[in-house]
Amino acid sequence: IFKTALSYNTLTVLPTGLGKTAVAMMVAARRMLSYPSSKVLVLAPTKPLVEQHASSFRSSFTLHEDFFAVFTGNVSPEKRHKRWEDSRLIFSTPQALENDVLSGRISLSDVSLLVIDEAHRATGDYSYVFLADQYMKTASHSRILALTASPGTDKETITSVCDNLFIQRIEYRK
């Protein structure tokens, strides 16, 4: 899974507790080494999930606390802008970030990895769809790693998620 995710925008489908976050951390570390001035952005749909990812990364990366930022609706747009400039690993709800991208406060151009947790939500007008599109249009060194335990119940839904997230490969394990 790691090898595929290094070379392709990848949808990783694994049951809960089988290592989706570990794969994301390994790919993030490699992308940060390959693109030293880049950022890694991890999106999750809820504040508790955002905080869980931030905690996992903090415990696994030996980086100064200033390199980490957590964005939710509780953080003002001005503070998000400042923290964005100073951070390398950003964890955010998609709605908070979508507003910042729309307003021009944040650019995704220097993000080398976009991790999308609960990727099955990337349908319709959900913020993941807009952010993936903006990311692919602006990032200098783009790579998307989408994570889910269940990509959808039918081929049409799964295809839509993959199209919306620019997925090139699917890695599925039971």
Side-chain angles (χ1 to χ4, degrees):
I1 296 170
F2 170 68
K3 185 177 177 183
T4 300
L6 287 179
S7 300
Y8 302 98
N9 291 344
T10 304
L11 175 62
T12 300
V13 183
L14 291 172
T16 301
L18 286 188
K20 291 183 293 290
T21 302
V23 171
M25 287 189 288
M26 293 186 327
V27 175
R30 180 64 63 88
R31 297 295 286 184
M32 290 173 68
L33 285 172
S34 298
Y35 305 101
S37 61
S38 72
K39 301 177 185 307
V40 169
L41 174 58
V42 180
L43 298 176
T46 65
K47 182 180 175 182
L49 273 174
V50 168
E51 291 172 349
Q52 180 181 331
H53 283 296
S55 177
S56 295
F57 275 71
R58 279 185 180 110
S59 67
S60 297
F61 283 70
T62 55
L63 295 173
H64 191 276
E65 180 62 28
D66 290 346
F67 283 118
F68 296 88
V70 175
F71 296 170
T72 62
N74 297 344
V75 180
S76 74
E78 294 76 24
K79 286 183 181 178
R80 289 195 302 262
H81 174 72
K82 173 69 173 125
R83 292 293 297 138
W84 180 270
E85 294 301 317
D86 299 336
S87 301
R88 297 276 317 279
L89 285 159
I90 298 107
F91 306 86
S92 181
T93 56
Q95 297 83 1
L97 197 68
E98 179 179 25
N99 292 333
D100 292 335
V101 171
L102 283 168
S103 69
R105 279 189 287 273
I106 286 178
S107 168
L108 302 175
S109 62
D110 57 351
V111 173
S112 65
L113 176 65
L114 175 59
V115 178
I116 299 176
D117 192 21
E118 302 286 329
H120 57 274
R121 295 175 182 245
T123 60
D125 62 356
Y126 192 75
S127 297
Y128 282 165
V129 178
F130 169 79
L131 290 169
D133 183 62
Q134 291 302 302
Y135 176 66
M136 293 303 291
K137 287 178 180 175
T138 62
S140 301
H141 306 286
S142 63
R143 180 70 65 236
I144 294 177
L145 176 60
L147 310 172
T148 187
S150 174
T153 56
D154 56 68
K155 185 177 179 179
E156 183 178 305
T157 301
I158 296 167
T159 299
S160 176
V161 167
C162 289
D163 290 345
N164 290 338
L165 298 180
F166 302 87
I167 298 301
Q168 299 164 305
R169 299 285 191 276
I170 298 174
E171 288 285 343
Y172 169 80
R173 305 289 189 282
K174 290 183 183 179

